[in-house]
Every structure is written in C-alpha cells, then in structure tokens.
Amino acid sequence: MLTDAHHRIIDYVRLSVTDRCNLRCTYCMPENMRFVKSSALLTDAEIITLLETLASAGISKVRITGGEPFLRPGLIPLLAKINAISGIRQIAITTNGVLTHHHIPDLKALGITHVNLSLDTLQPARFQQITRRDQFAAVMQTLDNLLAHQMQVKINVVVMDQVNTDELVHFAALTREQPVSVRFIEEMPFNGQGHAFSGINWNYEAILDTLREKYTLHKLPDAPHSTALNYSIPGHAGNIGVIPAYSRTFCGTCNRLRISATGSVKTCLYGPDVLNVKDLMRSGEPLLPAIQQALHHRAANGFEAEQLHTSAPESMSVIGG
Ligand code: SAM
Ligand code: SF4
C-alpha cells in the first residue's frame, strides 16, 4: 500500500499520455502553447512498467488524461495493455471529445465505461471562443454516441465568470432526460498564462445558489474519495455535482498521484513536481522507494502545496487536470 505523510492511502493515479491538444481552451493554455518532443514522453513500455509497479503497491484505478489523450498514437492498444495489468480494476478517461466518437466501440470492448467529457458551453459560437477551435459538432457527436453506447458519462464544465455562468441551468436541464452527471468545476489558476487569473467569483457555493434558483437539489451520498459534492434533481435521469477545485475542501481524503506525460510526479495538483519516473526508469533505478519517499513529504492540503510551488503558472494540459 502507498500511504502519505498524513495516513492517506493512495490507490488512484492520474496519468497523462500526451501534452498535445487539438483545442486551446483559454483557461488551460495559450494559443501559442509549446509542446515537448515525442522522445520526451513516456513510451508505451515505460507506461506499462510504471503502472505494473504502481498496481503491485495497491494502485487500482487509473485515469488516462492529457493534453488530449486521443491524440496519442496507438492509444487503444495501450489501453488494452493497461487493462491486462493485474490489480488495475478501473480505467477511466478524460477527453475533450473531438476525436473520441471514433473510438467508443473500442473503449466499450475493453470494458472502459467511465468517460469524463469536457464541455463548457452548449452554444457553438461560445465553444469557439472558449476553445479557440470550431469543434462543437464533433464534441456533441461524442456525447450522443457515448450515451447511445450506455457509457457512464460525466460532463466537466469549468465555470468561468462572465463567460458561461448563464448556462449553468441549461447544463442542469440536460440531466432531465439524459443519465449524465454534470459536474461544475471551479476555475483553477492553471492557464499557462493564456489569460489573467485573479481568483474566482464563482465558487461552489455561488454555483449551487444559482442552480437552486431554478431547481430543488437533494444531496446525494458522495463516494469516499470524491472531489465532487453530488446532488440529484427530482425527476431528472442524471445528476449534478460541484467540484471545489479552487476552494480545496476535499484535500483531507485525497487518494491520488498525478504523473505527467513526461514522467513528472505531483503529489498535489497545486504543488511542484517532486520526482520524475521516466528519469528513474531510464537510469535503471527502482520506482517504489522514490515514490514512497515523495509521499512521505506530501503536503497536507492544496494550500500548503501551493506555498511550495514557486515557478510560473503551469498549463493544466501539462498537469492533466
Ligand atoms: N483534454 C482533455 C479534456 O479537456 O478533457 C483532458 C485534459 S484536461 C487538462 C482535464 C480537465 O481539466 C478538463 O476537464 C478541463 O476542463 C480541466 N481544466 C483544465 N484547465 C482547468 C482550469 N484552469 N481550471 C479548472 N479545470 C481545468
Ligand atoms: Fe486541451 Fe483539455 Fe486543456 Fe482544453 S482543457 S486545452 S481540451 S487539454
């Protein structure tokens, strides 16, 4: 079992498989984002070695993220190999949906049913403003196809002041007919300097207050390590959640490790890189002692971790969300 300095068990890894993206969401990266060379990325073989090692130490859930994971060549065969690792009980994916619809039958065939789809607006013109790309139709096609394949879909909506707050109730309305979970995420300061960030006006309480003006919300029990506070709306097939990602109310039960596409390890989203597993593997050094050591120095919460992080704001595409 991997445990941290605060007696939290770590059984979930978020692994970025590429830093590249086919969108340029303003809250995530600048238009002129620079990506690393392919040789700097973890290879498929390194990813498998890494996950086998982590699984041997109790990691049972893997979320594949990015950048946009479906831009990695050979993603589906890689997922098949990850699926075969003993001890990995759940694989989930976070995607922007632009290329995803082509791969849904493959995901289903692998038993990968948990897909988080990022979608911050239901308006095509606004989608182009937020993402700087004209791909709304492709993302909506992915949403439709995911639901047609009975996948477990969570829609991630980053709530941005003066950008999409007028659509919160429209997203909640989606859950009336569709069995989706819409999760409203507080905006975090990881835009790679794509636009100025000066804190948030829309925290989870403001989001809930706005939804309550139109809907009755009933609190649902949250899973043990959930970052979302979940609610049902009477008569709706789906549900809604709010993720206090900036308010950081959930740190006490955090069970995650984050590994970037280049092998950098973070023990907290807000903290600095603490280790590079690619470097360790390429120099033939063992992984687990170094990971355990990093966890023994893990900050108690995201505020403490932020104090340790002195470099310029990163892009979330590097961290993986
Ligand atoms: N490209 C994929 C996608 O967009 O779903 C996966 C990577 S993306 C970095 C993972 C998640 O991070 C997405 O749901 C995205 O909305 C979220 N995200 C990115 N930047 C963020 C920010 N500054 N604040 C809050 N969430 C952010
Ligand atoms: Fe790309 Fe996802 Fe970042 Fe948007 S949030 S720019 S889709 S990595």
Side-chain angles (χ1 to χ4, degrees), residues 186 204 227 229 243-253 303:
E186 289 179 355
Y204 69 103
T227 53
L229 303 166
I243 303 187
Y246 187 70
S247 304
R248 285 162 264 183
T249 56
F250 46 63
C251 301
T253 58
F303 296 100

Side-chain angles (χ1 to χ4, degrees), residues 14 16 18 20-23 25-29 63-70 93-97 116-120 155-160 183 185-192 195 197 243 245-246 269-270 314-321:
R14 296 179 65 102
S16 172
T18 180
R20 288 169 175 67
C21 195
N22 43 11
L23 300 182
C25 304
T26 51
Y27 53 77
C28 179
M29 63 169 73
R63 176 168 296 282
I64 302 298
T65 178
E68 174 48 36
F70 287 93
I93 299 194
T94 301
T95 174
N96 65 26
N116 288 9
L117 179 68
S118 301
L119 179 65
D120 308 306
I155 298 178
N156 286 349
V157 184
V158 178
V159 178
M160 291 163 277
R183 289 124 45 94
I185 308 176
E186 289 179 355
E187 187 178 1
M188 292 179 269
F190 300 113
N191 59 53
H195 73 118
F197 188 90
I243 303 187
Y246 187 70
L269 175 59
Y270 282 86
E314 293 161 293
S315 162
M316 192 69 100
S317 65
V318 175
I319 306 171

Side-chain angles (χ1 to χ4, degrees), residues 169-232:
V169 290
H170 302 150
F171 273 105
L174 261 189
T175 67
R176 188 165 38 231
E177 306 295 337
Q178 305 292 1
V180 292
S181 175
V182 172
R183 289 124 45 94
F184 299 102
I185 308 176
E186 289 179 355
E187 187 178 1
M188 292 179 269
F190 300 113
N191 59 53
Q193 298 177 328
H195 73 118
F197 188 90
S198 55
I200 54 170
N201 291 326
W202 283 82
N203 68 7
Y204 69 103
E205 286 163 325
I207 296 166
L208 287 172
D209 285 348
T210 298
L211 292 171
R212 284 195 180 105
E213 284 171 17
K214 165 115 181 159
Y215 292 110
T216 303
L217 304 182
H218 289 305
K219 186 77 194 72
L220 290 169
D222 300 316
H225 305 285
S226 174
T227 53
L229 303 166
N230 295 296
Y231 297 82
S232 65

Side-chain angles (χ1 to χ4, degrees), residues 33 38 69 81 108 111 135 159 183 206 221 282 286 293 295 303:
M33 182 75 188
S38 299
K81 287 185 202 148
K108 197 143 193 220
Q135 294 287 0
V159 178
R183 289 124 45 94
R282 291 187 186 178
Q293 165 119 8
L295 287 169
F303 296 100

Side-chain angles (χ1 to χ4, degrees), residues 42 152 316:
L42 290 166
Q152 295 194 40
M316 192 69 100

